[in-house]
Amino acid sequence: MSLFPETVVLLADDRTPIGTADKFTVHTDHTPLHLAFSCHVQNADGDVLVTRRALSKKTWPGVWTNSFCGHPGPDEAFEDAIARRADRELGLTVHSIELVLPDFRYRAVDASGIVENEVCPVYRAVADVDPQPADDEVAEWVWLPEADLRQAVTAAPFAFSPWLGWQLAELPLDALAARS
């Protein structure tokens, strides 16, 4: 757990920054639009890392999702925020970070009524080792071929975060495979 509050960038509908707020105060039943990112990590075998959110998470506890998500701080480059969150959540150093879905935006409400309302560019990255996740972030993890992940999300969408399903629907097959 971080000793410092995490700040998110608030956005107007046209995606221009309009201020900042503490991450833990904005995720409510009236979450304002804010900036985030989503990252899919691939290993040397070409498999994609899928994580199950910790049961202690405020939103979507216990659901399977992409490798990790986060929020860039004010004036923080996405690549720096991705590296920071990969280390914090998964104990991973990632490389070959690449933007794969620049205009992804979504709004979703979880079972407790908490809203996610994010402009959330989607990235892929590569890791050379297995994760060593933080217990307060990740309950379980698995490496899967992208086709198997897509099949699982189609077969049991309720077991996965809504944003993962929406991202996969917008991305062409093999979009999560790192380019050499």
Side-chain angles (χ1 to χ4, degrees), residues 62-80:
V63 302
W64 287 91
T65 193
N66 55 291
S67 305
F68 66 98
C69 295
H71 303 86
D75 301 317
E76 182 180 27
F78 278 103
E79 292 79 5
D80 294 338

Side-chain angles (χ1 to χ4, degrees), residues 29-179:
D29 58 350
H30 292 87
T31 302
L33 183 63
H34 60 279
L35 190 59
F37 65 83
S38 184
C39 189
H40 298 266
V41 177
Q42 181 185 47
N43 66 13
D45 295 329
D47 294 331
V48 178
L49 178 63
V50 184
T51 61
R52 184 170 169 245
R53 294 170 61 86
L55 295 176
S56 60
K57 295 289 279 184
K58 185 176 180 181
T59 58
W60 281 273
V63 302
W64 287 91
T65 193
N66 55 291
S67 305
F68 66 98
C69 295
H71 303 86
D75 301 317
E76 182 180 27
F78 278 103
E79 292 79 5
D80 294 338
I82 289 165
R84 174 176 53 82
R85 292 307 301 176
D87 180 55
R88 164 67 182 96
E89 291 191 30
L90 297 170
L92 286 177
T93 298
V94 295
H95 59 89
S96 304
I97 300 169
E98 185 177 352
L99 181 62
V100 294
L101 197 58
D103 297 319
F104 186 68
R105 178 178 174 175
Y106 75 97
R107 184 179 186 282
V109 182
D110 85 348
S112 72
I114 295 177
V115 175
E116 288 283 0
N117 188 18
E118 299 180 339
V119 170
C120 185
V122 179
Y123 291 81
R124 69 170 161 239
V126 177
D128 297 324
V129 298
D130 284 340
Q132 301 294 315
D135 291 342
D136 63 331
E137 296 287 349
V138 175
E140 298 177 71
W141 58 271
V142 64
W143 294 105
L144 288 175
E146 182 180 340
D148 291 359
L149 172 60
R150 288 175 179 272
Q151 184 177 23
V153 172
T154 299
F158 54 84
F160 295 89
S161 67
W163 59 89
L164 174 58
W166 296 329
Q167 289 170 12
L168 292 176
E170 289 190 36
L171 289 167
L173 186 60
D174 295 327
L176 302 180
R179 306 297 183 241

